[in-house]
Amino acid sequence: MLINQRFLRSNNYHPEWVVASASGGAHSLWLTEWLTSAMDLRPGMRVLDLGCGRASSSIFLHRESGVEVWATDLWFSASENIQRIRDAKVQGHVFPIQANARALPFAAEFFDAILSIDSFVYYGTDDLYSTYLARFLRPGGRLGMAGAGFMQEMDQPIPEHLQKWWTPDLFCLHSADWWRRHWSRSGVLAVELADSMPEGWELWLEWQKVIAPDNQVEIEAIQADRGRNLGYVRALACRKDDVNLEEPVVSIPAQYTKKPLLRGE
């Protein structure tokens, strides 16, 4: 179960552990291995695993690359994740944080790399978010994301074979080309890679059959689509060296001056 010759590192992890650590609709180790195959991660680097879920991707990152990982998620408990981290014997190298992706508790330029596995669509489509997040990367640091997406942008009307599964929130998904444009126009990121996984829909389908076999609506939609619209996408960018990011405005100083309310006063 869950053996795939494209992901030899992921194959070493017990399927029961992988399933018990699941936090979404994708095999997080497969996507992490795919994304990091295009990155130069070295031991001792500081990495933010943003939207880490149950931290299986964070554990994988340290074990496979020797990086120090801040496993950060809003929805999943840091107290649960520290137990998983201890059981994996990576405490002191993987640090669980419960935080909102829009209010991160880190110093500017703290990280060498920021990764997001199958969660970036929930917050990263905001036009201002790339600039916000880039503040936490050192100049030259890498930002990478991988997750569910479209093979090309989806417009109305939704294809008939997807309508039973479709909900309006799925418009948060985007194509690799969309992510390239989105990050490029921020002005702070130089996009190095944006592509889709060959036959990624097959892995999406395989994972769903393991993790949620009763979810027939999604399974049937993926089977009917056969990669025409649905699959996995990734993007990788570098924070530009020559861009200075100002501190964000979090409050306006109070400076009230009393003035007459009406012309006759």
Side-chain angles (χ1 to χ4, degrees):
M1 185 173 66
L2 299 179
I3 293 291
N4 191 292
Q5 292 309 306
R6 285 195 257 178
F7 307 109
L8 299 180
R9 292 184 173 188
S10 300
N11 290 344
N12 293 323
Y13 292 79
H14 199 292
E16 290 183 10
W17 183 85
V18 173
V19 170
S21 304
S23 55
H27 190 313
S28 61
L29 301 195
W30 285 346
L31 292 184
T32 305
E33 186 168 349
W34 180 47
L35 177 59
T36 56
S37 68
M39 302 180 70
D40 181 22
L41 295 180
R42 299 184 298 277
M45 280 186 167
R46 292 192 296 266
V47 174
L48 171 59
D49 186 3
L50 187 57
C52 68
R54 291 192 167 93
S56 60
S57 55
S58 306
I59 293 167
F60 180 89
L61 283 166
H62 173 70
R63 286 182 53 86
E64 301 301 324
S65 302
V67 294
E68 308 296 296
V69 187
W70 278 255
T72 304
D73 199 278
L74 174 62
W75 295 343
F76 290 89
S77 166
S79 297
E80 176 192 341
N81 282 347
I82 192 61
Q83 296 179 65
R84 186 170 293 104
I85 289 164
R86 287 170 180 158
D87 285 345
K89 296 181 173 55
V90 295
Q91 66 270 32
H93 300 285
V94 179
F95 310 101
I97 304 289
Q98 194 156 4
N100 192 318
R102 299 177 183 276
L104 294 170
F106 304 114
E109 302 184 2
F110 182 74
F111 293 106
D112 299 294
I114 298 175
L115 280 68
S116 180
I117 302 299
D118 207 37
S119 72
F120 204 71
V121 294
Y122 296 118
Y123 42 83
T125 58
D126 184 333
D127 288 339
L128 302 178
Y129 189 73
S130 300
T131 303
Y132 167 76
L133 188 61
R135 290 183 58 253
F136 301 104
L137 270 178
R138 65 168 175 79
R142 263 52 181 186
L143 169 63
M145 60 80 66
F150 296 140
M151 299 302 95
Q152 58 279 323
E153 284 303 289
M154 183 79 72
D155 296 315
Q156 297 281 12
I158 302 304
E160 184 176 353
H161 66 278
L162 296 179
Q163 289 180 5
K164 188 176 180 180
W165 169 70
W166 188 267
T167 54
D169 60 298
L170 291 171
F171 277 120
C172 71
L173 302 180
H174 290 287
S175 66
D177 286 341
W178 187 93
W179 284 108
R180 181 184 293 277
R181 292 192 300 272
H182 182 62
W183 280 2
S184 294
R185 68 183 184 179
S186 71
V188 302
L189 298 172
V191 179
E192 300 175 331
L193 174 70
D195 63 2
S196 56
M197 181 187 292
E199 306 304 326
W201 70 274
E202 294 179 344
L203 299 183
W204 186 338
L205 180 62
E206 181 179 351
W207 177 249
Q208 283 298 314
K209 287 182 175 180
V210 170
I211 199 70
D214 295 332
N215 186 8
Q216 286 300 307
V217 173
E218 184 165 340
I219 288 172
E220 290 172 4
I222 299 167
Q223 287 175 323
D225 188 70
R226 297 187 63 80
R228 284 175 287 171
N229 298 282
L230 303 176
Y232 292 132
V233 301
R234 67 178 172 178
L236 178 64
C238 172
R239 177 182 162 178
K240 294 180 179 180
D241 290 326
D242 57 350
V243 174
N244 293 319
L245 300 178
E246 297 181 359
E247 288 294 315
V249 176
V250 295
S251 66
I252 304 298
Q255 191 175 4
Y256 176 72
T257 302
K258 185 177 180 180
K259 298 292 182 180
L261 177 64
L262 302 176
R263 287 181 179 268
E265 293 181 352

